[in-house]
């Protein structure tokens, strides 16, 4: 492979192929997770009115069930990647996702759809656990946040496309399209992923020792709280945004769906813009805290001071700032000073486990039961509180590594 030296480490041109594979995977698997948001009006409508008659909690469970899989299996996926290699773990996870996607095409009732969607979460678990490690292996330290921003653009692109398409074409055609895309993604990873020629070495220490070193990192637990509250806030907002705009703010349901897609596009803009700024200023921690505070102010303004399309515009603008938070929070395991390259898979697995735990439990079992269909509480107070908890957690982060090589086990 062709390479050049940047900040004292070999950087290979094949990194862009790896980033493209990550981008494709997150477009598909994240889009698979959030398709139900686009179908909210029909899913929540009573059966006698031609809808599916899902309850508010069933709807949120369907939106967040892949996070349950991530909670259960992210540590396993990360630890196995450290020990057996990234390609094996990613291909197995994406293969299981493909099986779940195919089976879901034949489902119409909630229990079956929920079960298949949980199975599909294996690909998301493998991706969430190992994305930071893959990016840190292939990209120099100061470019980790930028590469993560590009990668997470795929997540928002998946939402931007899947939500309106699902709302327009209905359940069964959407499920079939997801299955086809899942097959394309699986084949691409099997054929194109290559092991890093220098840094991807399997770890041989006992599993207990391997995980123990990761679990003892206080910095990593702080990073877990940051990403957990970020994702819980995002799950609440994404799940109820269309319903909030159409029911509480008087926006036409079709326009509300388009606004949701626009938010994902502007979120991508923020995800690209702010990591580039951080790469120049090296103040990731301050940016996380500052962006979180400004997001809380924006939520308060568009929820409690605006109405109609003014609210929609406020949501779109705020999503630029939210987009800046996501890559900074997601890349934390690769930038903590006490996490070595050999342990990044396990660290990313724990990071993603807490991310998925919070994203599944808080919206489905805390926010939904407390708020019901009160969208001022769901997209107002709950969203602000969760973002505030992220800000408080980020204050306790250490100084992050943004240049040079990640430490090796013996450094």
């Amino acid at each position: 492979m062709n390479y050049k030296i940047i900040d004292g480490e070999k950087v290979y041109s094949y990194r862009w192929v790896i980033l493209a594979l990550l981008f494709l995977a997150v477009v598909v698997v994240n889009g698979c997770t959030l398709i139900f948001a686009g179908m909210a009006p029909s899913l929540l409508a009573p059966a006698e009115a031609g809808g599916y008659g899902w309850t508010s909690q069933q709807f949120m469970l369907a939106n967040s069930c892949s996070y349950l899989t991530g909670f259960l299996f992210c540590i396993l996926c990360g630890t196995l990647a450290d020990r057996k290699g990234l390609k094996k773990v990613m291909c197995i996870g994406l293969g299981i996702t493909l099986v779940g996607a195919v089976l879901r095409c034949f489902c119409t009732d909630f229990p079956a759809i929920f079960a298949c969607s949980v199975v599909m979460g294996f690909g998301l678990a493998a991706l969430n656990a190992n994305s930071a490690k893959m990016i840190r292996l292939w990209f120099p330290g100061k470019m980790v946040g930028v590469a993560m921003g590009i990668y997470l653009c795929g997540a928002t692109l998946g939402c931007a496309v899947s939500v309106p398409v699902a709302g327009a074409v209905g359940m069964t055609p959407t499920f079939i399209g997801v299955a086809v895309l899942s097959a394309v993604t699986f084949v691409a990873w099997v054929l194109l992923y290559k092991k890093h020629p220098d840094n991807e070495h399997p770890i041989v220490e006992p599993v207990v020792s391997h995980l123990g070193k990761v679990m003892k990192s206080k910095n990593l637990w702080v990073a877990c709280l940051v990403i957990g509250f970020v994702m819980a806030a995002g799950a609440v907002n994404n799940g109820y945004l269309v319903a909030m705009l159409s029911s509480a703010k008087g926006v036409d349901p079709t326009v509300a769906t388009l606004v949701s897609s626009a938010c994902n596009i502007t979120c991508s803009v923020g995800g690209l813009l702010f990591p580039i700024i951080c790469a120049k200023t090296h103040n990731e921690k301050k940016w996380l805290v500052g962006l979180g505070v400004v997001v809380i102010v924006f939520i308060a303004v568009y929820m409690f001071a605006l109405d109609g399309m003014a609210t929609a515009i406020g949501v779109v603008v705020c999503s630029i700032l939210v987009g800046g938070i996501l890559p900074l929070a997601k890349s934390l395991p690769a930038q903590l000073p006490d996490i070595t390259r050999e342990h990044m898979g396990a660290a990313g697995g724990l990071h993603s486990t807490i991310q998925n735990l919070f994203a599944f439990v808080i919206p489905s079992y805390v926010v939904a039961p407390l708020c019901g269909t009160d969208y001022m509480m769901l997209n107002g107070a709950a969203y602000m509180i969760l973002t505030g908890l992220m800000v408080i957690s980020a204050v306790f982060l250490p100084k992050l590594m943004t240049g040079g090589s990640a430490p090796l086990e013996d450094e």
Side-chain angles (χ1 to χ4, degrees), residues 36-54:
F36 299 104
M39 297 183 280
S42 61
L43 293 176
L44 293 169
E48 56 269 22
Y52 288 86
W54 286 13

PDB file of all heavy atoms in Angstrom, residues 36-54:
ATOM      1  N   PHE A  36     -38.729   3.763  11.335  1.00  0.00           N
ATOM      2  CA  PHE A  36     -40.053   3.836  11.941  1.00  0.00           C
ATOM      3  C   PHE A  36     -40.481   5.272  12.214  1.00  0.00           C
ATOM      4  O   PHE A  36     -41.672   5.561  12.266  1.00  0.00           O
ATOM      5  CB  PHE A  36     -40.078   3.017  13.237  1.00  0.00           C
ATOM      6  CG  PHE A  36     -39.782   1.561  13.031  1.00  0.00           C
ATOM      7  CD1 PHE A  36     -38.549   1.032  13.364  1.00  0.00           C
ATOM      8  CD2 PHE A  36     -40.733   0.727  12.466  1.00  0.00           C
ATOM      9  CE1 PHE A  36     -38.270  -0.302  13.165  1.00  0.00           C
ATOM     10  CE2 PHE A  36     -40.470  -0.616  12.261  1.00  0.00           C
ATOM     11  CZ  PHE A  36     -39.221  -1.131  12.607  1.00  0.00           C
ATOM     12  N   ALA A  37     -39.508   6.174  12.396  1.00  0.00           N
ATOM     13  CA  ALA A  37     -39.863   7.576  12.647  1.00  0.00           C
ATOM     14  C   ALA A  37     -40.658   8.154  11.489  1.00  0.00           C
ATOM     15  O   ALA A  37     -41.574   8.955  11.691  1.00  0.00           O
ATOM     16  CB  ALA A  37     -38.596   8.395  12.888  1.00  0.00           C
ATOM     17  N   GLY A  38     -40.316   7.763  10.260  1.00  0.00           N
ATOM     18  CA  GLY A  38     -41.039   8.265   9.095  1.00  0.00           C
ATOM     19  C   GLY A  38     -42.445   7.725   8.978  1.00  0.00           C
ATOM     20  O   GLY A  38     -43.304   8.329   8.317  1.00  0.00           O
ATOM     21  N   MET A  39     -42.697   6.582   9.603  1.00  0.00           N
ATOM     22  CA  MET A  39     -44.020   5.961   9.536  1.00  0.00           C
ATOM     23  C   MET A  39     -44.857   6.257  10.777  1.00  0.00           C
ATOM     24  O   MET A  39     -45.878   5.604  11.013  1.00  0.00           O
ATOM     25  CB  MET A  39     -43.870   4.444   9.353  1.00  0.00           C
ATOM     26  CG  MET A  39     -43.184   4.048   8.055  1.00  0.00           C
ATOM     27  SD  MET A  39     -43.089   2.249   7.811  1.00  0.00           S
ATOM     28  CE  MET A  39     -41.685   1.833   8.856  1.00  0.00           C
ATOM     29  N   ALA A  40     -44.408   7.225  11.592  1.00  0.00           N
ATOM     30  CA  ALA A  40     -45.075   7.512  12.867  1.00  0.00           C
ATOM     31  C   ALA A  40     -46.585   7.737  12.738  1.00  0.00           C
ATOM     32  O   ALA A  40     -47.360   7.151  13.515  1.00  0.00           O
ATOM     33  CB  ALA A  40     -44.413   8.714  13.540  1.00  0.00           C
ATOM     34  N   PRO A  41     -47.054   8.567  11.781  1.00  0.00           N
ATOM     35  CA  PRO A  41     -48.508   8.799  11.715  1.00  0.00           C
ATOM     36  C   PRO A  41     -49.320   7.527  11.514  1.00  0.00           C
ATOM     37  O   PRO A  41     -50.355   7.346  12.164  1.00  0.00           O
ATOM     38  CB  PRO A  41     -48.644   9.755  10.512  1.00  0.00           C
ATOM     39  CG  PRO A  41     -47.337  10.469  10.462  1.00  0.00           C
ATOM     40  CD  PRO A  41     -46.323   9.437  10.836  1.00  0.00           C
ATOM     41  N   SER A  42     -48.878   6.634  10.645  1.00  0.00           N
ATOM     42  CA  SER A  42     -49.639   5.405  10.391  1.00  0.00           C
ATOM     43  C   SER A  42     -49.449   4.378  11.499  1.00  0.00           C
ATOM     44  O   SER A  42     -50.373   3.644  11.848  1.00  0.00           O
ATOM     45  CB  SER A  42     -49.227   4.790   9.043  1.00  0.00           C
ATOM     46  OG  SER A  42     -47.859   4.456   9.037  1.00  0.00           O
ATOM     47  N   LEU A  43     -48.250   4.300  12.081  1.00  0.00           N
ATOM     48  CA  LEU A  43     -48.000   3.322  13.139  1.00  0.00           C
ATOM     49  C   LEU A  43     -48.779   3.652  14.405  1.00  0.00           C
ATOM     50  O   LEU A  43     -49.289   2.750  15.090  1.00  0.00           O
ATOM     51  CB  LEU A  43     -46.504   3.256  13.459  1.00  0.00           C
ATOM     52  CG  LEU A  43     -45.596   2.694  12.364  1.00  0.00           C
ATOM     53  CD1 LEU A  43     -44.137   2.793  12.794  1.00  0.00           C
ATOM     54  CD2 LEU A  43     -45.951   1.243  12.051  1.00  0.00           C
ATOM     55  N   LEU A  44     -48.882   4.947  14.724  1.00  0.00           N
ATOM     56  CA  LEU A  44     -49.546   5.366  15.960  1.00  0.00           C
ATOM     57  C   LEU A  44     -51.052   5.569  15.787  1.00  0.00           C
ATOM     58  O   LEU A  44     -51.774   5.685  16.779  1.00  0.00           O
ATOM     59  CB  LEU A  44     -48.917   6.660  16.478  1.00  0.00           C
ATOM     60  CG  LEU A  44     -47.460   6.547  16.957  1.00  0.00           C
ATOM     61  CD1 LEU A  44     -46.856   7.920  17.191  1.00  0.00           C
ATOM     62  CD2 LEU A  44     -47.374   5.707  18.222  1.00  0.00           C
ATOM     63  N   ALA A  45     -51.522   5.605  14.533  1.00  0.00           N
ATOM     64  CA  ALA A  45     -52.957   5.780  14.288  1.00  0.00           C
ATOM     65  C   ALA A  45     -53.718   4.520  14.712  1.00  0.00           C
ATOM     66  O   ALA A  45     -53.211   3.402  14.565  1.00  0.00           O
ATOM     67  CB  ALA A  45     -53.209   6.072  12.809  1.00  0.00           C
ATOM     68  N   PRO A  46     -54.939   4.663  15.252  1.00  0.00           N
ATOM     69  CA  PRO A  46     -55.731   3.494  15.660  1.00  0.00           C
ATOM     70  C   PRO A  46     -56.014   2.561  14.482  1.00  0.00           C
ATOM     71  O   PRO A  46     -56.116   3.015  13.335  1.00  0.00           O
ATOM     72  CB  PRO A  46     -57.030   4.110  16.201  1.00  0.00           C
ATOM     73  CG  PRO A  46     -56.681   5.525  16.519  1.00  0.00           C
ATOM     74  CD  PRO A  46     -55.632   5.934  15.537  1.00  0.00           C
ATOM     75  N   ALA A  47     -56.158   1.282  14.765  1.00  0.00           N
ATOM     76  CA  ALA A  47     -56.420   0.301  13.705  1.00  0.00           C
ATOM     77  C   ALA A  47     -57.725   0.597  12.982  1.00  0.00           C
ATOM     78  O   ALA A  47     -57.826   0.412  11.757  1.00  0.00           O
ATOM     79  CB  ALA A  47     -56.450  -1.109  14.301  1.00  0.00           C
ATOM     80  N   GLU A  48     -58.728   1.061  13.725  1.00  0.00           N
ATOM     81  CA  GLU A  48     -60.022   1.363  13.096  1.00  0.00           C
ATOM     82  C   GLU A  48     -59.938   2.546  12.144  1.00  0.00           C
ATOM     83  O   GLU A  48     -60.828   2.745  11.301  1.00  0.00           O
ATOM     84  CB  GLU A  48     -61.095   1.624  14.157  1.00  0.00           C
ATOM     85  CG  GLU A  48     -60.769   2.715  15.153  1.00  0.00           C
ATOM     86  CD  GLU A  48     -60.060   2.185  16.394  1.00  0.00           C
ATOM     87  OE1 GLU A  48     -59.449   1.091  16.317  1.00  0.00           O
ATOM     88  OE2 GLU A  48     -60.119   2.876  17.431  1.00  0.00           O
ATOM     89  N   ALA A  49     -58.858   3.353  12.274  1.00  0.00           N
ATOM     90  CA  ALA A  49     -58.665   4.490  11.376  1.00  0.00           C
ATOM     91  C   ALA A  49     -57.700   4.154  10.239  1.00  0.00           C
ATOM     92  O   ALA A  49     -57.268   5.046   9.504  1.00  0.00           O
ATOM     93  CB  ALA A  49     -58.137   5.691  12.162  1.00  0.00           C
ATOM     94  N   GLY A  50     -57.378   2.875  10.094  1.00  0.00           N
ATOM     95  CA  GLY A  50     -56.493   2.451   9.018  1.00  0.00           C
ATOM     96  C   GLY A  50     -55.031   2.379   9.387  1.00  0.00           C
ATOM     97  O   GLY A  50     -54.183   2.110   8.537  1.00  0.00           O
ATOM     98  N   GLY A  51     -54.710   2.640  10.667  1.00  0.00           N
ATOM     99  CA  GLY A  51     -53.319   2.576  11.107  1.00  0.00           C
ATOM    100  C   GLY A  51     -52.965   1.224  11.692  1.00  0.00           C
ATOM    101  O   GLY A  51     -53.718   0.251  11.582  1.00  0.00           O
ATOM    102  N   TYR A  52     -51.817   1.167  12.339  1.00  0.00           N
ATOM    103  CA  TYR A  52     -51.348  -0.088  12.929  1.00  0.00           C
ATOM    104  C   TYR A  52     -51.683  -0.198  14.411  1.00  0.00           C
ATOM    105  O   TYR A  52     -51.543  -1.265  15.001  1.00  0.00           O
ATOM    106  CB  TYR A  52     -49.835  -0.229  12.735  1.00  0.00           C
ATOM    107  CG  TYR A  52     -49.441  -0.523  11.303  1.00  0.00           C
ATOM    108  CD1 TYR A  52     -49.256   0.505  10.387  1.00  0.00           C
ATOM    109  CD2 TYR A  52     -49.261  -1.822  10.871  1.00  0.00           C
ATOM    110  CE1 TYR A  52     -48.895   0.244   9.073  1.00  0.00           C
ATOM    111  CE2 TYR A  52     -48.899  -2.101   9.561  1.00  0.00           C
ATOM    112  CZ  TYR A  52     -48.720  -1.064   8.671  1.00  0.00           C
ATOM    113  OH  TYR A  52     -48.365  -1.325   7.371  1.00  0.00           O
ATOM    114  N   GLY A  53     -52.082   0.914  15.030  1.00  0.00           N
ATOM    115  CA  GLY A  53     -52.524   0.879  16.409  1.00  0.00           C
ATOM    116  C   GLY A  53     -51.436   0.636  17.432  1.00  0.00           C
ATOM    117  O   GLY A  53     -51.699   0.126  18.521  1.00  0.00           O
ATOM    118  N   TRP A  54     -50.197   1.018  17.108  1.00  0.00           N
ATOM    119  CA  TRP A  54     -49.111   0.844  18.075  1.00  0.00           C
ATOM    120  C   TRP A  54     -49.258   1.859  19.207  1.00  0.00           C
ATOM    121  O   TRP A  54     -49.707   2.996  18.996  1.00  0.00           O
ATOM    122  CB  TRP A  54     -47.754   1.057  17.411  1.00  0.00           C
ATOM    123  CG  TRP A  54     -47.324  -0.076  16.522  1.00  0.00           C
ATOM    124  CD1 TRP A  54     -48.074  -1.109  16.065  1.00  0.00           C
ATOM    125  CD2 TRP A  54     -46.013  -0.254  15.957  1.00  0.00           C
ATOM    126  NE1 TRP A  54     -47.331  -1.935  15.259  1.00  0.00           N
ATOM    127  CE2 TRP A  54     -46.060  -1.440  15.175  1.00  0.00           C
ATOM    128  CE3 TRP A  54     -44.829   0.463  16.035  1.00  0.00           C
ATOM    129  CZ2 TRP A  54     -44.956  -1.912  14.476  1.00  0.00           C
ATOM    130  CZ3 TRP A  54     -43.717  -0.006  15.348  1.00  0.00           C
ATOM    131  CH2 TRP A  54     -43.783  -1.184  14.574  1.00  0.00           C
TER     132      TRP A  54
END
